[in-house]
Amino acid sequence: MTDAIGLNTLEQALRALASRVSSLREARSAYPADPRSTLDAALAELDTACELLESSLRELRKAPRRSGDRESGSQRELKLLRQVFRAFPVPVVVLDASGVIRRISAETSRMLGSPAGYLIGRSFPLLVDVSRRAAFRSHLTAVQQGGQSATFQTRLTHQGRAHTVQLAVIRLTMPGEPQEMTAVVILPLEAQVAGDPPGPVDRSDASLVMAAARRQELLARMTRLLLDEESLRQPVTVTRAARLLAAETAD
């Protein structure tokens, strides 16, 4: 799948991909002690997802060249492609040149446990585990400068969960955009929930200090939100406060 494809073909390919990904998830859940049987197939599906993204990009590039009577058709195709991105069965993130999240798919929000409004505008490298962040930045820079895609394994941490994932990073050049974008396709391999082991709770002084620091940070962020001039002018304060509290405390 190296050439641009029609929208009907793209929709069919996405439905088939979603079905195969669902089957792989069921197989992993049924046989958790034998992940190798599904890993190779999952990596192949990741390559397929990358190819579908590239084909979608080529379709988007064709749209600005259409004019006159075909403009309405182009707009319909763009809306359909946006819907395809939102419904993509694999987590996908679009970054700007500085690594800030500009777009995420619904599957990304589900995996990370935060709404799109909370994640968009944040630096994606900060979601990468500290021990692997430098390596991720190197891969990202190489893709942005060289133009070649990269596939590698790393670990994402967010909302008390750690995700071992396989990433495919692809540079995007969009007509009319002042800067190049980067697409990151995420294939979750393993998820772990951070928590204390069962038994008596023994919290050291260091853990108590960290907990107090997190509470102080939350209070400071809530204070800035409540004192923001835009929040005072518009009825959005309750919604924003709820999102902040949910992001920090929801399981």
Side-chain angles (χ1 to χ4, degrees):
M1 191 182 301
T2 57
D3 299 327
I5 60 177
L7 291 176
N8 290 334
T9 305
L10 178 61
E11 287 184 282
Q12 294 173 4
L14 281 173
R15 285 194 294 267
L17 176 62
S19 177
R20 295 195 301 271
V21 169
S22 177
S23 298
L24 287 174
R25 284 177 177 158
E26 292 175 359
R28 187 184 64 177
S29 299
Y31 307 100
D34 185 23
R36 292 183 178 274
S37 61
T38 57
L39 178 58
D40 290 340
L43 292 175
E45 295 298 353
L46 182 61
D47 291 336
T48 301
C50 293
E51 293 175 0
L52 287 175
L53 277 177
E54 292 173 352
S55 298
S56 301
L57 177 61
R58 282 188 282 271
E59 290 291 332
L60 286 172
R61 284 173 175 166
K62 293 193 307 183
R65 293 196 290 268
R66 299 172 182 169
S67 59
D69 296 338
R70 303 182 67 180
E71 182 62 26
S72 60
S74 299
Q75 293 299 322
R76 286 195 296 270
E77 290 181 356
L78 287 173
K79 291 180 180 179
L80 177 58
L81 287 171
R82 293 190 186 101
Q83 181 62 32
V84 166
F85 175 80
R86 286 193 291 267
F88 212 66
V90 177
V92 182
V93 180
V94 177
L95 312 178
D96 63 14
S98 60
V100 173
I101 299 174
R102 293 305 179 195
R103 295 287 186 275
I104 66 170
S105 64
E107 186 66 15
T108 309
S109 295
R110 186 198 66 78
M111 183 192 75
L112 295 178
S114 290
Y118 178 82
L119 294 168
I120 291 175
R122 294 179 176 269
S123 176
F124 184 81
L126 296 181
L127 299 177
V128 180
D129 188 81
V130 175
S131 63
R132 307 190 186 189
R133 193 171 297 167
F136 171 81
R137 291 185 185 276
S138 296
H139 284 298
L140 180 62
T141 301
V143 171
Q144 291 174 336
Q145 295 181 353
Q148 298 294 325
S149 61
T151 303
F152 55 93
Q153 184 172 309
T154 189
R155 181 181 292 270
L156 303 180
T157 56
H158 184 65
Q159 299 289 23
R161 295 176 65 89
H163 305 267
T164 300
V165 298
Q166 190 83 7
L167 298 184
V169 185
I170 310 163
R171 188 175 71 179
L172 304 177
T173 303
M174 297 293 295
E177 290 289 342
Q179 60 179 345
E180 292 182 340
M181 300 287 185
T182 305
V184 180
V185 184
I186 307 171
L187 177 64
L189 302 178
E190 179 186 358
Q192 297 178 347
V193 180
D196 297 328
V201 178
D202 182 16
R203 304 192 67 180
S204 64
D205 291 341
S207 65
L208 292 174
V209 171
M210 289 299 297
R214 284 194 292 269
R215 287 195 297 270
Q216 290 297 326
E217 181 184 6
L218 177 59
L219 287 173
R221 292 172 62 186
M222 181 65 75
T223 301
R224 288 195 299 268
L225 186 152
L226 295 175
L227 296 179
D228 183 71
E229 183 177 354
E230 183 181 358
S231 297
L232 296 176
R233 292 200 310 264
Q234 301 180 19
V236 298
T237 306
V238 174
T239 301
R240 292 180 177 178
R243 288 177 178 173
L244 175 60
L245 291 175
E248 294 295 333
T249 61
D251 56 22

